[in-house]
Amino acid sequence: MFAFMEREVLESIRARLSKAKRVVFLGGAGVSTASGIPDFRSEEGIAKTTERYGIPYETILSHRFFFEHTDLFYDFYWSSMVHEDAKPNLAHRVLKEYGDRHILFIVTQNIDDLHELAGSQRVIPVHGTIHSYTCTCCGRKATLNEIPHHGVPMCPICHAPFKPDVVLYGEPLGEEELMGAKAATEYADALIVGGTSLQVYPINALPRLFSGSLSILINRDETPLDDRFDFVIHEDVGTALSAILEGL
């Protein structure tokens, strides 16, 4: 592991990254915490907010729970998963600016669309988005702006509940998104992973597909895959990305 603030290490990262033609950024919840969106496992994370329900968040945010306890699911969902006032932070902005100058694919586990709001173009949201909904009966689509942000949103046509287009526990990832994430990783020259504990399958398997020349992990805490990366930086994601990417 290398200390982030060592100048020679930073210069080495930038020199090697400047030679990359295709870069993949794989991001998790830690990318959006600076925007006021909680992660899952920290002291202030989503896991803590489920304590008042007495139910683990993996259960509340599961496919089965949605259909068996739709009212309770949405009570938690509106209070803990939807953050309408969140804005892109430094990490999102730096990645957007770098992507304007280079071929950059962003594989995000987040459902907040902040990369898209920042203006990034090549974004693969493997866990879906809170901004899109599908009727559980007729398949009618709706956007977040078209449904009430309280209670259970119902389809105006068949009066069945809308389900958010996010991947719940017990559901597979979308085939198109997963294949896109795998292809982007396999053909990348450089891989940057940021703000994720790399504990959720199958996304935590993506780094094993990477065979390029430079891999960087940026996360405040250690992960099970730290030893697979060329550089490991235990710092704030936005601060580290800014130091590495700006000006390249």
Side-chain angles (χ1 to χ4, degrees):
M1 181 171 60
F2 298 85
F4 169 61
M5 295 308 295
E6 292 177 2
R7 180 179 295 275
E8 62 271 21
V9 175
L10 179 58
E11 290 177 352
S12 175
I13 293 174
R14 287 172 57 85
R16 292 173 61 177
L17 188 59
S18 67
K19 300 175 183 178
K21 303 299 183 183
R22 292 169 60 94
V23 179
V24 168
F25 176 79
L26 168 59
V31 175
S32 292
T33 52
S35 296
I37 299 177
D39 59 14
F40 282 85
R41 298 176 179 85
S42 71
E43 286 299 316
E44 298 79 27
I46 289 173
K48 287 291 183 180
T49 67
T50 63
E51 290 182 351
R52 70 177 186 270
Y53 297 91
I55 305 171
Y57 71 85
E58 296 96 334
T59 299
I60 293 182
L61 293 175
S62 70
H63 176 88
R64 180 173 180 175
F65 195 88
F66 172 83
F67 284 99
E68 292 183 352
H69 307 281
T70 311
D71 288 347
L72 190 54
F73 170 91
Y74 267 113
D75 181 66
F76 174 75
Y77 178 82
W78 292 126
S79 64
S80 301
M81 304 301 294
V82 178
H83 303 269
E84 297 177 77
D85 296 330
K87 299 292 187 292
N89 60 51
L90 178 61
H92 301 105
R93 296 192 298 270
V94 169
L95 287 167
K96 187 271 180 185
E97 292 166 3
Y98 181 81
D100 286 345
R101 303 187 299 271
H102 304 274
I103 297 177
L104 171 68
F105 289 88
I106 297 174
V107 179
T108 179
Q109 300 175 80
N110 297 335
I111 58 177
D112 49 45
D113 281 13
L114 290 183
H115 287 293
E116 292 89 339
L117 187 59
S120 289
Q121 298 299 312
R122 302 180 186 93
V123 182
I124 304 172
V126 292
H127 288 160
T129 172
I130 62 168
H131 292 275
S132 176
Y133 298 75
T134 302
C135 174
T136 53
C137 179
C138 69
R140 178 186 176 90
K141 290 287 187 177
T143 67
L144 180 62
N145 293 332
E146 294 173 332
I147 61 175
H149 300 176
H150 57 83
V152 179
M154 306 297 287
C155 174
I157 303 300
C158 60
H159 308 291
F162 276 113
K163 177 184 176 296
D165 289 338
V166 300
V167 179
L168 301 178
Y169 287 92
E171 295 179 338
L173 299 188
E175 183 175 353
E176 180 179 349
E177 289 77 14
L178 182 57
M179 293 301 294
K182 287 181 176 180
T185 304
E186 288 177 331
Y187 290 102
D189 302 312
L191 170 67
I192 304 174
V193 175
T196 173
S197 61
L198 292 174
Q199 295 185 34
V200 178
Y201 183 82
I203 298 306
N204 63 352
L206 288 179
R208 302 182 187 276
L209 302 177
F210 176 70
S211 60
S213 59
L214 174 64
S215 59
I216 305 166
L217 172 65
I218 307 168
N219 197 55
R220 283 194 178 276
D221 302 316
E222 294 183 1
T223 80
L225 299 181
D226 277 17
D227 59 357
R228 294 189 62 88
F229 291 81
D230 299 318
F231 297 93
V232 176
I233 302 168
H234 292 309
E235 297 282 348
D236 171 73
V237 177
T239 302
L241 285 175
S242 179
I244 293 169
L245 298 181
E246 283 190 343
L248 285 182

